[in-house]
């Protein structure tokens, strides 16, 4: 599995999926419309992949351009993802 | 899911800085190279840890393991861990290399080598480096079983990971 997504088209950002997030969506990455808040992104993912919030996202962290960002609590928007950003869903890690 | 896909040509595989070397590779791990990265005339000890793939999970037979990574972020985290541990224990060098893709049972999936003037610091640093890596580095392991779907493991709780849909 590669961890480099091609550059996202104008008005979009790249969303990378790893491990269980990749298995659940059947994708390594995709391009989505920007700007969008982390809160809205999670709602969008739940509607695209029903069950993803409870099965995957609840146990995941999120990075934007390689930095971990706060996951907004319910009803909050959180950080706003911008065009060209590289966002990743990070499931619990298991190296070694 | 193949070991190497398009886009890997643009991928980053290693980073190094002031006595620290970190790497990711689809190849077999090379113990001699890991040690040579930390060799120093000021060191009186090199401690090498080799993590190998076990043939069972809680007694259940495992066929093979498959590792995947967010290369850019994993290398950045590995380098941050190595720099911390190098400074904390006054090491002369530290290297951390993780294998990706399919790793057959009994083969090395990770090597950590540390060198220091005296052995006590090297033993401690090696263990701390491994524990920090397992808890933080953005690498994922999927255990493949005979005759059923694989599972993604999580180091955090030692429990079975998520069942795969494919």
């Amino acid at each position: 599995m590669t961890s480099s997504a091609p550059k996202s088209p104008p008005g979009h950002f790249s969303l990378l999926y790893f491990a269980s997030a990749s298995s659940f969506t059947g994708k390594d990455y995709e391009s989505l419309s920007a700007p969008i808040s982390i809160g809205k992104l999670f709602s969008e993912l739940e509607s695209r992949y029903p069950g993803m919030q409870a099965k995957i996202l609840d146990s995941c962290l999120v990075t934007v351009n390689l930095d971990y960002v706060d996951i907004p609590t319910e009803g909050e928007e959180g950080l706003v993802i911008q065009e060209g950003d590289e966002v990743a869903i990070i499931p619990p890690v298991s190296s070694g | 899911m193949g070991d190497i896909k398009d886009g890997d040509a643009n991928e980053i595989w290693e980073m190094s800085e002031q006595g620290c070397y970190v790497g990711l590779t689809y190849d077999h791990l090379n113990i001699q190279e890991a040690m040579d990265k930390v060799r120093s005339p000021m060191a009186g000890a090199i401690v090498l840890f080799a993590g190998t793939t076990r043939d069972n999970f809680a007694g259940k037979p495992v066929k093979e393991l498959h590792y995947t990574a967010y290369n850019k972020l994993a290398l950045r985290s590995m380098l941050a861990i190595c720099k911390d541990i190098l400074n904390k224990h006054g090491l002369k060098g530290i290297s951390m290399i993780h294998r990706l893709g399919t790793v057959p049972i009994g083969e090395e999936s990770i090597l950590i080598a540390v060198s220091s003037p005296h052995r006590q610091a090297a033993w401690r640093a090696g263990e701390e480096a491994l524990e920090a890596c397992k808890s933080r580095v953005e690498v994922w392991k999927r255990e493949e079983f005979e005759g059923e779907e694989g599972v993604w493991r999580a180091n955090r709780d030692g429990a079975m990971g998520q069942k795969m849909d494919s």
Side-chain angles (χ1 to χ4, degrees):
Chain A
M1 182 184 306
T2 173
S3 60
S4 271
K7 228 177 148 37
S8 52
H12 289 71
F13 70 97
S14 302
L15 180 61
L16 277 53
Y17 301 112
F18 295 97
S20 55
S22 175
S23 297
F24 194 86
T25 59
K27 294 173 181 167
D28 290 339
Y29 59 83
E30 64 186 313
S31 288
L32 297 173
S33 292
I36 186 174
S37 67
I38 301 277
K40 284 226 169 63
L41 171 63
F42 276 30
S43 311
E44 172 69 20
L45 290 176
E46 175 63 23
S47 70
R48 282 175 182 239
Y49 310 103
M52 188 175 185
Q53 180 71 49
K55 283 192 183 133
I56 305 293
L57 297 176
D58 281 353
S59 61
C60 287
L61 300 174
V62 174
T63 60
V64 176
N65 301 326
L66 301 183
D67 287 322
Y68 285 94
V69 300
D70 290 333
I71 310 276
T73 50
E74 206 163 326
E76 289 184 358
E77 296 289 321
L79 179 132
V80 177
I81 296 161
Q82 303 296 332
E83 171 180 356
D85 282 350
E86 181 175 289
V87 180
I89 306 293
I90 309 285
V93 298
S94 49
S95 70
Chain B
M1 200 180 300
D3 281 3
I4 299 193
K5 286 186 180 176
D6 294 343
D8 275 6
N10 301 319
E11 196 57 270
I12 177 169
W13 296 102
E14 58 181 2
M15 290 172 76
S16 57
E17 198 179 312
Q18 296 167 348
C20 299
Y21 173 88
V22 298
L24 297 168
T25 179
Y26 283 104
D27 292 333
H28 285 83
L29 296 179
N30 187 319
I31 287 167
Q32 192 64 53
E33 272 178 29
M35 286 182 69
D36 288 346
K37 295 280 187 199
V38 304
R39 204 172 285 285
S40 162
M42 291 176 286
I46 292 177
V47 165
L48 173 86
F49 173 83
T52 57
T53 47
R54 195 167 37 226
D55 71 355
N56 74 89
F57 177 82
K60 188 171 167 179
V62 171
K63 188 173 64 170
E64 63 188 18
L65 291 96
H66 187 92
Y67 290 91
T68 182
Y70 187 1
N71 288 37
K72 279 184 287 191
L73 187 54
L75 288 169
R76 198 164 91 156
S77 298
M78 289 161 81
L79 191 60
I81 290 168
C82 287
K83 283 161 77 174
D84 278 355
I85 297 210
L86 180 104
N87 292 327
K88 181 180 172 189
H89 294 280
L91 303 179
K92 295 303 165 191
I94 177 167
S95 65
M96 179 183 281
I97 305 114
H98 206 296
R99 186 170 165 187
L100 302 178
T102 299
V103 181
I105 298 303
E107 295 188 10
E108 290 85 63
S109 52
I110 184 169
L111 297 178
I112 295 175
V114 302
S115 66
S116 76
H118 302 287
R119 66 184 179 281
Q120 292 88 348
W123 284 120
R124 282 197 296 272
E127 178 169 21
E128 273 179 41
L130 177 70
E131 296 306 320
C133 176
K134 288 186 76 114
S135 71
R136 280 174 53 193
V137 172
E138 292 83 0
V139 169
W140 296 272
K141 166 173 29 186
R142 196 180 70 223
E143 288 171 336
E144 306 288 358
F145 300 101
E146 291 289 354
E148 60 177 287
E149 59 189 346
V151 292
W152 292 104
R153 272 264 271 172
N155 283 345
R156 196 171 57 191
D157 47 12
M160 284 286 228
Q162 224 91 35
K163 283 276 181 194
M164 301 221 329
D165 283 351
S166 53

